[in-house]
Protein backbone atom coordinates (compact mmCIF):
# COMPACT_ATOMS: atom_id res chain seq x y z
CA UNK A 1 0.00 0.00 0.00
CA UNK A 2 1.23 3.53 -0.69
CA UNK A 3 2.46 5.74 2.14
CA UNK A 4 -0.71 7.86 1.78
CA UNK A 5 -2.89 8.00 4.86
CA UNK A 6 -5.61 5.35 4.78
CA UNK A 7 -9.09 6.84 4.57
CA UNK A 8 -12.47 5.37 5.33
CA UNK A 9 -14.75 6.17 2.41
CA UNK A 10 -18.43 5.36 2.84
CA UNK A 11 -20.61 4.31 -0.09
CA UNK A 12 -23.70 6.42 0.73
CA UNK A 13 -24.19 9.00 3.47
CA UNK A 14 -27.44 10.90 4.15
CA UNK A 15 -27.00 14.67 4.17
CA UNK A 16 -29.10 15.68 7.19
CA UNK A 17 -28.56 18.39 9.78
CA UNK A 18 -30.01 21.34 11.63
CA UNK A 19 -32.74 22.18 9.11
CA UNK A 20 -34.23 18.69 9.45
CA UNK A 21 -33.97 18.86 13.26
CA UNK A 22 -35.73 22.25 13.31
CA UNK A 23 -38.62 20.84 11.26
CA UNK A 24 -38.87 17.78 13.49
CA UNK A 25 -38.91 20.02 16.56
CA UNK A 26 -41.79 21.95 15.05
CA UNK A 27 -43.78 18.70 14.74
CA UNK A 28 -42.89 17.81 18.34
CA UNK A 29 -44.03 21.25 19.49
CA UNK A 30 -47.32 20.81 17.66
CA UNK A 31 -47.56 17.31 19.15
CA UNK A 32 -48.63 15.81 15.81
CA UNK A 33 -46.19 13.29 14.41
CA UNK A 34 -48.38 10.80 12.49
CA UNK A 35 -50.13 11.27 9.12
CA UNK A 36 -50.80 14.98 9.26
CA UNK A 37 -50.42 18.43 7.72
CA UNK A 38 -46.68 18.08 7.10
CA UNK A 39 -47.33 15.08 4.86
CA UNK A 40 -49.86 17.20 2.99
CA UNK A 41 -47.35 20.03 2.63
CA UNK A 42 -44.55 17.73 1.51
CA UNK A 43 -46.85 16.11 -1.07
CA UNK A 44 -47.66 19.57 -2.42
CA UNK A 45 -44.00 20.66 -2.58
CA UNK A 46 -43.05 17.40 -4.30
CA UNK A 47 -45.82 17.94 -6.85
CA UNK A 48 -44.48 21.41 -7.56
CA UNK A 49 -40.90 20.17 -7.75
CA UNK A 50 -41.73 17.34 -10.18
CA UNK A 51 -44.35 19.35 -12.04
CA UNK A 52 -47.31 16.97 -11.83
CA UNK A 53 -50.92 17.21 -10.72
CA UNK A 54 -51.21 14.56 -8.01
CA UNK A 55 -48.95 13.04 -5.34
CA UNK A 56 -49.42 10.58 -2.47
CA UNK A 57 -46.85 10.28 0.34
CA UNK A 58 -46.00 6.78 1.50
CA UNK A 59 -43.66 5.00 3.88
CA UNK A 60 -41.46 3.67 1.03
CA UNK A 61 -41.09 3.29 -2.72
CA UNK A 62 -41.91 -0.38 -2.16
CA UNK A 63 -45.38 0.73 -0.97
CA UNK A 64 -45.62 3.25 -3.83
CA UNK A 65 -44.88 0.56 -6.46
CA UNK A 66 -47.40 -1.80 -4.83
CA UNK A 67 -50.20 0.79 -4.77
CA UNK A 68 -49.31 2.14 -8.22
CA UNK A 69 -50.10 -1.23 -9.78
CA UNK A 70 -53.11 -1.68 -7.45
CA UNK A 71 -54.57 1.56 -8.86
CA UNK A 72 -55.27 -0.19 -12.18
CA UNK A 73 -57.11 -3.16 -10.69
CA UNK A 74 -55.68 -5.58 -13.26
CA UNK A 75 -57.23 -9.05 -13.48
CA UNK A 76 -55.33 -11.67 -11.46
CA UNK A 77 -52.54 -13.55 -13.24
CA UNK A 78 -51.72 -10.91 -15.85
CA UNK A 79 -48.07 -10.05 -16.56
CA UNK A 80 -45.95 -7.01 -15.79
CA UNK A 81 -42.64 -6.39 -17.54
CA UNK A 82 -39.73 -5.70 -15.19
CA UNK A 83 -36.01 -5.34 -16.02
CA UNK A 84 -33.94 -8.31 -14.87
CA UNK A 85 -31.50 -6.01 -13.03
CA UNK A 86 -33.34 -4.05 -10.34
CA UNK A 87 -34.10 -4.07 -6.64
CA UNK A 88 -36.56 -6.71 -5.40
CA UNK A 89 -39.35 -4.16 -4.76
CA UNK A 90 -39.90 -3.59 -8.50
CA UNK A 91 -40.69 -7.27 -9.06
CA UNK A 92 -42.53 -7.71 -5.75
CA UNK A 93 -45.09 -5.07 -6.80
CA UNK A 94 -46.81 -7.32 -9.38
CA UNK A 95 -46.65 -10.28 -7.00
CA UNK A 96 -48.31 -8.29 -4.16
CA UNK A 97 -51.07 -7.58 -6.71
CA UNK A 98 -51.46 -11.26 -7.75
CA UNK A 99 -49.81 -10.52 -11.08
CA UNK A 100 -46.75 -12.16 -12.61
CA UNK A 101 -43.40 -10.40 -13.14
CA UNK A 102 -42.05 -10.97 -16.66
CA UNK A 103 -38.30 -10.39 -16.66
CA UNK A 104 -36.96 -8.44 -19.62
CA UNK A 105 -33.24 -8.38 -20.43
CA UNK A 106 -31.32 -5.16 -19.91
CA UNK A 107 -29.86 -2.78 -22.42
CA UNK A 108 -26.08 -2.72 -21.84
CA UNK A 109 -26.02 1.12 -21.87
CA UNK A 110 -29.00 2.01 -19.69
CA UNK A 111 -29.03 -1.24 -17.67
CA UNK A 112 -32.81 -0.86 -17.92
CA UNK A 113 -35.36 -2.49 -20.24
CA UNK A 114 -33.94 -3.70 -23.55
CA UNK A 115 -36.46 -2.54 -26.15
CA UNK A 116 -36.02 -5.48 -28.50
CA UNK A 117 -36.38 -8.03 -25.72
CA UNK A 118 -39.44 -6.17 -24.46
CA UNK A 119 -41.06 -6.43 -27.88
CA UNK A 120 -40.00 -10.06 -28.25
CA UNK A 121 -41.49 -11.09 -24.89
CA UNK A 122 -44.76 -9.20 -25.28
CA UNK A 123 -47.91 -11.34 -25.24
CA UNK A 124 -51.58 -10.47 -24.82
CA UNK A 125 -51.26 -11.27 -21.08
CA UNK A 126 -48.96 -8.30 -20.48
CA UNK A 127 -50.81 -5.37 -18.86
CA UNK A 128 -48.04 -3.05 -17.67
CA UNK A 129 -44.36 -2.12 -17.91
CA UNK A 130 -42.16 -0.96 -15.03
CA UNK A 131 -39.09 0.85 -16.37
CA UNK A 132 -36.37 1.48 -13.78
CA UNK A 133 -34.09 4.51 -14.10
CA UNK A 134 -31.14 2.45 -12.97
CA UNK A 135 -28.60 4.40 -10.95
CA UNK A 136 -30.24 7.61 -12.18
CA UNK A 137 -29.51 6.88 -15.84
CA UNK A 138 -32.83 7.32 -17.66
CA UNK A 139 -34.63 4.42 -19.28
CA UNK A 140 -35.61 5.13 -22.91
CA UNK A 141 -38.99 6.51 -21.91
CA UNK A 142 -39.98 7.93 -25.32
CA UNK A 143 -39.66 4.53 -26.98
CA UNK A 144 -41.09 2.62 -24.04
CA UNK A 145 -44.15 4.93 -24.02
CA UNK A 146 -44.62 4.54 -27.80
CA UNK A 147 -44.62 0.78 -27.37
CA UNK A 148 -46.88 0.87 -24.29
CA UNK A 149 -49.44 3.14 -25.95
CA UNK A 150 -49.47 1.03 -29.13
CA UNK A 151 -50.23 -2.07 -27.06
CA UNK A 152 -52.55 -0.38 -24.54
CA UNK A 153 -50.21 -1.04 -21.60
CA UNK A 154 -49.92 1.00 -18.39
CA UNK A 155 -46.50 2.30 -17.32
CA UNK A 156 -45.24 2.67 -13.75
CA UNK A 157 -41.82 4.33 -13.59
CA UNK A 158 -39.52 3.20 -10.79
CA UNK A 159 -37.68 6.45 -9.99
CA UNK A 160 -36.11 5.20 -6.74
CA UNK A 161 -32.62 6.11 -8.00
CA UNK A 162 -33.24 9.64 -9.21
CA UNK A 163 -35.08 12.78 -8.22
CA UNK A 164 -35.68 15.89 -10.24
CA UNK A 165 -33.98 15.18 -13.57
CA UNK A 166 -35.58 15.34 -17.00
CA UNK A 167 -35.35 13.00 -19.97
CA UNK A 168 -35.72 14.67 -23.40
CA UNK A 169 -37.17 17.77 -21.72
CA UNK A 170 -39.80 15.97 -19.63
CA UNK A 171 -39.38 15.26 -15.91
CA UNK A 172 -38.59 11.67 -15.00
CA UNK A 173 -41.59 10.25 -13.17
CA UNK A 174 -44.07 12.07 -15.41
CA UNK A 175 -43.51 10.00 -18.56
CA UNK A 176 -45.50 7.00 -17.39
CA UNK A 177 -49.00 6.82 -15.90
CA UNK A 178 -47.52 6.81 -12.39
CA UNK A 179 -44.01 7.55 -11.08
CA UNK A 180 -42.66 6.19 -7.78
CA UNK A 181 -39.86 7.82 -5.77
CA UNK A 182 -37.85 6.58 -2.77
CA UNK A 183 -36.68 8.62 0.22
CA UNK A 184 -34.99 5.69 1.93
CA UNK A 185 -31.96 6.77 3.92
CA UNK A 186 -29.32 6.17 1.25
CA UNK A 187 -31.19 7.72 -1.67
CA UNK A 188 -30.76 11.06 -3.52
CA UNK A 189 -32.74 12.65 -0.70
CA UNK A 190 -34.14 11.02 2.40
CA UNK A 191 -36.96 11.04 4.92
CA UNK A 192 -35.40 8.15 6.88
CA UNK A 193 -37.76 5.83 5.05
CA UNK A 194 -40.38 7.17 2.67
CA UNK A 195 -41.78 7.17 -0.82
CA UNK A 196 -44.04 9.13 -3.14
CA UNK A 197 -46.39 8.21 -5.95
CA UNK A 198 -46.97 10.91 -8.59
CA UNK A 199 -49.28 11.24 -11.58
CA UNK A 200 -51.07 13.74 -13.76
CA UNK A 201 -54.24 11.72 -13.28
CA UNK A 202 -55.76 12.70 -9.93
CA UNK A 203 -58.63 10.23 -10.34
CA UNK A 204 -56.11 7.42 -10.73
CA UNK A 205 -53.98 7.91 -7.62
CA UNK A 206 -56.04 9.90 -5.10
CA UNK A 207 -58.35 6.95 -4.40
CA UNK A 208 -55.16 5.15 -3.25
CA UNK A 209 -55.03 7.48 -0.23
CA UNK A 210 -57.59 5.17 1.40
CA UNK A 211 -55.50 2.09 0.54
CA UNK A 212 -52.45 3.65 2.19
CA UNK A 213 -54.45 4.41 5.39
CA UNK A 214 -55.88 0.99 6.28
CA UNK A 215 -58.81 1.52 3.93
CA UNK A 216 -60.09 4.64 5.73
CA UNK A 217 -61.47 7.28 3.41
CA UNK A 218 -60.77 10.30 5.67
CA UNK A 219 -57.49 11.53 7.12
CA UNK A 220 -57.66 11.36 10.95
CA UNK A 221 -55.94 14.72 11.32
CA UNK A 222 -58.74 16.34 9.33
CA UNK A 223 -61.41 14.55 11.39
CA UNK A 224 -60.11 15.43 14.85
CA UNK A 225 -61.34 19.01 14.63
CA UNK A 226 -64.86 17.56 14.65
CA UNK A 227 -64.31 15.76 17.98
CA UNK A 228 -65.11 18.94 19.90
CA UNK A 229 -66.85 21.05 17.27
CA UNK A 230 -70.36 21.69 18.58
CA UNK A 231 -71.67 22.43 15.11
CA UNK A 232 -70.96 18.87 13.99
CA UNK A 233 -73.27 16.01 14.88
CA UNK A 234 -72.28 12.96 16.91
CA UNK A 235 -70.98 11.14 13.84
CA UNK A 236 -67.70 13.09 13.54
CA UNK A 237 -65.81 9.82 14.19
CA UNK A 238 -67.35 8.03 11.21
CA UNK A 239 -65.42 6.80 8.19
CA UNK A 240 -66.03 4.25 5.46
CA UNK A 241 -63.81 1.31 4.64
CA UNK A 242 -64.59 0.36 1.07
CA UNK A 243 -61.19 -0.88 -0.12
CA UNK A 244 -58.41 -3.24 0.99
CA UNK A 245 -56.16 -1.08 3.14
CA UNK A 246 -52.50 -1.17 4.11
CA UNK A 247 -50.59 0.81 6.73
CA UNK A 248 -48.45 2.53 4.12
CA UNK A 249 -48.81 6.22 4.99
CA UNK A 250 -45.94 8.64 5.34
CA UNK A 251 -45.89 10.35 8.78
CA UNK A 252 -45.20 13.95 9.81
CA UNK A 253 -41.74 13.17 11.20
CA UNK A 254 -40.64 11.78 7.84
CA UNK A 255 -42.33 14.68 6.04
CA UNK A 256 -40.52 17.13 8.37
CA UNK A 257 -37.22 15.72 7.17
CA UNK A 258 -38.47 15.70 3.57
CA UNK A 259 -39.46 19.38 3.67
CA UNK A 260 -35.89 20.29 4.62
CA UNK A 261 -34.35 17.82 2.16
CA UNK A 262 -36.36 19.01 -0.83
CA UNK A 263 -34.79 22.46 -0.39
CA UNK A 264 -31.33 20.89 -0.37
CA UNK A 265 -32.02 18.50 -3.24
CA UNK A 266 -30.87 20.73 -6.15
CA UNK A 267 -27.59 21.38 -4.29
CA UNK A 268 -27.12 17.70 -3.46
CA UNK A 269 -27.84 16.73 -7.08
CA UNK A 270 -25.29 19.31 -8.24
CA UNK A 271 -22.65 18.01 -5.84
CA UNK A 272 -23.19 14.43 -7.04
CA UNK A 273 -22.92 15.64 -10.65
CA UNK A 274 -19.60 17.34 -9.86
CA UNK A 275 -18.33 14.15 -8.22
CA UNK A 276 -19.36 12.04 -11.22
CA UNK A 277 -17.41 14.41 -13.48
CA UNK A 278 -14.39 14.23 -11.17
CA UNK A 279 -14.49 10.43 -11.24
CA UNK A 280 -14.77 10.42 -15.05
CA UNK A 281 -11.84 12.78 -15.40
CA UNK A 282 -9.81 10.80 -12.88
CA UNK A 283 -10.52 7.54 -14.69
CA UNK A 284 -9.09 8.81 -17.98
CA UNK A 285 -6.14 6.63 -18.88
CA UNK A 286 -7.47 3.52 -17.15
CA UNK A 287 -7.47 0.74 -19.70
CA UNK A 288 -9.11 -2.12 -17.87
CA UNK A 289 -12.03 -0.30 -16.23
CA UNK A 290 -14.85 1.64 -17.74
CA UNK A 291 -17.72 3.69 -16.29
CA UNK A 292 -20.98 1.83 -15.68
CA UNK A 293 -23.04 4.18 -17.87
CA UNK A 294 -22.34 6.68 -20.66
CA UNK A 295 -22.62 9.25 -17.86
CA UNK A 296 -24.08 12.64 -18.72
CA UNK A 297 -23.92 14.43 -15.38
CA UNK A 298 -25.18 17.75 -16.79
CA UNK A 299 -28.47 16.15 -17.89
CA UNK A 300 -29.15 13.35 -15.41
CA UNK A 301 -29.23 13.08 -11.62
CA UNK A 302 -27.13 10.07 -10.71
CA UNK A 303 -27.35 8.07 -7.51
CA UNK A 304 -24.83 5.41 -8.51
CA UNK A 305 -21.31 5.88 -9.75
CA UNK A 306 -20.12 2.50 -10.90
CA UNK A 307 -17.56 0.87 -13.10
CA UNK A 308 -17.14 -2.33 -15.06
CA UNK A 309 -14.12 -4.42 -14.26
CA UNK A 310 -13.58 -8.04 -15.25
CA UNK A 311 -11.89 -9.24 -12.03
CA UNK A 312 -14.54 -7.70 -9.82
CA UNK A 313 -13.96 -9.57 -6.56
CA UNK A 314 -10.24 -8.94 -6.69
CA UNK A 315 -10.74 -5.19 -7.08
CA UNK A 316 -13.42 -5.10 -4.37
CA UNK A 317 -10.97 -6.71 -1.92
CA UNK A 318 -8.21 -4.30 -2.95
CA UNK A 319 -10.49 -1.31 -2.32
CA UNK A 320 -11.75 -2.79 0.94
CA UNK A 321 -8.17 -3.09 2.19
CA UNK A 322 -7.86 0.66 1.53
CA UNK A 323 -11.03 1.52 3.46
CA UNK A 324 -13.12 2.12 0.34
CA UNK A 325 -16.67 0.80 0.50
CA UNK A 326 -18.17 -0.77 -2.62
CA UNK A 327 -21.28 -2.68 -3.57
CA UNK A 328 -22.97 -4.37 -6.52
CA UNK A 329 -26.31 -3.06 -7.80
CA UNK A 330 -27.66 -5.67 -8.53
CA UNK A 331 -27.44 -9.41 -9.08
CA UNK A 332 -30.19 -10.17 -11.64
CA UNK A 333 -33.42 -10.89 -9.79
CA UNK A 334 -34.20 -14.12 -11.71
CA UNK A 335 -31.08 -15.57 -10.04
CA UNK A 336 -32.47 -14.94 -6.55
CA UNK A 337 -34.04 -18.03 -4.94
CA UNK A 338 -37.50 -16.46 -4.55
CA UNK A 339 -37.68 -15.42 -8.19
CA UNK A 340 -36.51 -18.79 -9.58
CA UNK A 341 -40.03 -19.70 -10.70
CA UNK A 342 -40.03 -16.68 -13.03
CA UNK A 343 -36.53 -17.43 -14.33
CA UNK A 344 -36.69 -18.61 -17.94
CA UNK A 345 -32.94 -18.29 -18.52
CA UNK A 346 -33.64 -15.72 -21.18
CA UNK A 347 -31.84 -12.62 -19.91
CA UNK A 348 -28.31 -13.31 -21.23
CA UNK A 349 -27.10 -9.69 -21.17
CA UNK A 350 -28.11 -9.21 -17.52
CA UNK A 351 -26.57 -12.56 -16.58
CA UNK A 352 -23.23 -11.56 -18.08
CA UNK A 353 -23.01 -7.84 -17.50
CA UNK A 354 -23.73 -7.83 -13.79
CA UNK A 355 -20.61 -9.90 -13.16
CA UNK A 356 -18.36 -6.94 -13.95
CA UNK A 357 -20.36 -4.24 -12.13
CA UNK A 358 -18.97 -2.44 -9.07
CA UNK A 359 -20.61 0.51 -7.29
CA UNK A 360 -18.19 3.10 -5.90
CA UNK A 361 -18.88 5.76 -3.22
CA UNK A 362 -21.22 8.56 -4.33
CA UNK A 363 -23.05 10.94 -2.03
CA UNK A 364 -23.29 14.69 -1.58
CA UNK A 365 -20.93 14.75 1.42
CA UNK A 366 -18.14 12.95 -0.38
CA UNK A 367 -15.10 15.24 -0.52
CA UNK A 368 -12.85 15.84 -3.55
CA UNK A 369 -10.03 14.36 -1.50
CA UNK A 370 -12.03 11.16 -0.99
CA UNK A 371 -12.89 10.92 -4.71
CA UNK A 372 -9.20 11.38 -5.59
CA UNK A 373 -8.28 8.71 -3.04
CA UNK A 374 -10.66 6.25 -4.74
CA UNK A 375 -9.38 7.20 -8.22
CA UNK A 376 -5.76 6.79 -7.07
CA UNK A 377 -6.61 3.34 -5.75
CA UNK A 378 -8.07 2.35 -9.16
CA UNK A 379 -4.90 3.51 -10.90
CA UNK A 380 -2.56 1.81 -8.45
CA UNK A 381 -4.60 -1.39 -8.71
CA UNK A 382 -4.30 -1.37 -12.49
CA UNK A 383 -0.56 -0.77 -12.30
CA UNK A 384 -0.04 -3.59 -9.81
CA UNK A 385 -2.30 -6.05 -11.63
CA UNK A 386 -1.38 -5.81 -15.27
CA UNK A 387 -2.12 -9.44 -16.24
CA UNK A 388 -5.54 -9.41 -14.59
CA UNK A 389 -6.24 -5.94 -15.84
CA UNK A 390 -5.90 -7.24 -19.39
CA UNK A 391 -9.01 -9.41 -18.97
CA UNK A 392 -11.78 -8.15 -21.21
CA UNK A 393 -14.92 -6.31 -20.24
CA UNK A 394 -17.96 -5.80 -22.43
C1 LIG B 1 -34.90 0.35 -8.03
C2 LIG B 1 -35.54 0.38 -6.67
N1 LIG B 1 -36.87 0.34 -6.57
C3 LIG B 1 -37.50 0.41 -5.39
C4 LIG B 1 -36.79 0.48 -4.21
C5 LIG B 1 -37.51 0.47 -2.92
O1 LIG B 1 -37.36 1.67 -2.23
P1 LIG B 1 -37.76 1.78 -0.70
O2 LIG B 1 -36.59 1.35 0.09
O3 LIG B 1 -38.10 3.24 -0.52
O4 LIG B 1 -38.95 0.91 -0.48
C6 LIG B 1 -35.39 0.53 -4.25
C7 LIG B 1 -34.60 0.62 -3.00
O5 LIG B 1 -33.41 0.54 -2.98
C8 LIG B 1 -34.75 0.48 -5.51
O6 LIG B 1 -33.42 0.50 -5.60
Amino acid sequence: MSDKKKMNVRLFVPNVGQEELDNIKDSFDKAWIGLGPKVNQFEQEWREYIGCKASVGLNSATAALHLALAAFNFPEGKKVMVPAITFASTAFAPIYNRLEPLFVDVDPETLSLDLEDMERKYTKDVVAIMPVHMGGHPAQMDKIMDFARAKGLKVVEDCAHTAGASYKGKKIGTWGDIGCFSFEEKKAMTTGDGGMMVSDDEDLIYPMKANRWVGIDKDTWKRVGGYTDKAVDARHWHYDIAVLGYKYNMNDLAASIGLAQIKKLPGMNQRRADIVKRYLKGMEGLKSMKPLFPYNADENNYWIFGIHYAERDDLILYLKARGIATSVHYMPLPQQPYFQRWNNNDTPVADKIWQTMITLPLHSRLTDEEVDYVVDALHSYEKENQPKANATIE
Side-chain angles (χ1 to χ4, degrees), residues 60-62 65 86-87 89-90 132 158 160-161 182 184 187 194 330:
S60 61
T62 305
L65 293 163
T86 182
F87 189 64
S89 303
T90 326
V132 178
D158 183 336
H161 293 185
S182 173
E184 181 260 345
K187 296 290 161 38
Y330 302 93

Side-chain angles (χ1 to χ4, degrees), residues 296-338:
N296 180 350
D298 290 323
E299 286 281 317
N300 306 320
N301 291 339
Y302 289 100
W303 175 64
I304 287 178
F305 185 80
I307 58 169
H308 282 292
Y309 180 65
E311 299 280 341
R312 177 174 71 191
D313 293 353
D314 206 53
L315 178 56
I316 285 176
L317 287 177
Y318 185 89
L319 296 175
K320 193 178 258 192
R322 280 149 188 80
I324 299 166
T326 58
S327 188
V328 174
H329 294 88
Y330 302 93
M331 179 170 136
L333 281 184
Q335 295 187 25
Q336 293 286 1
Y338 181 76

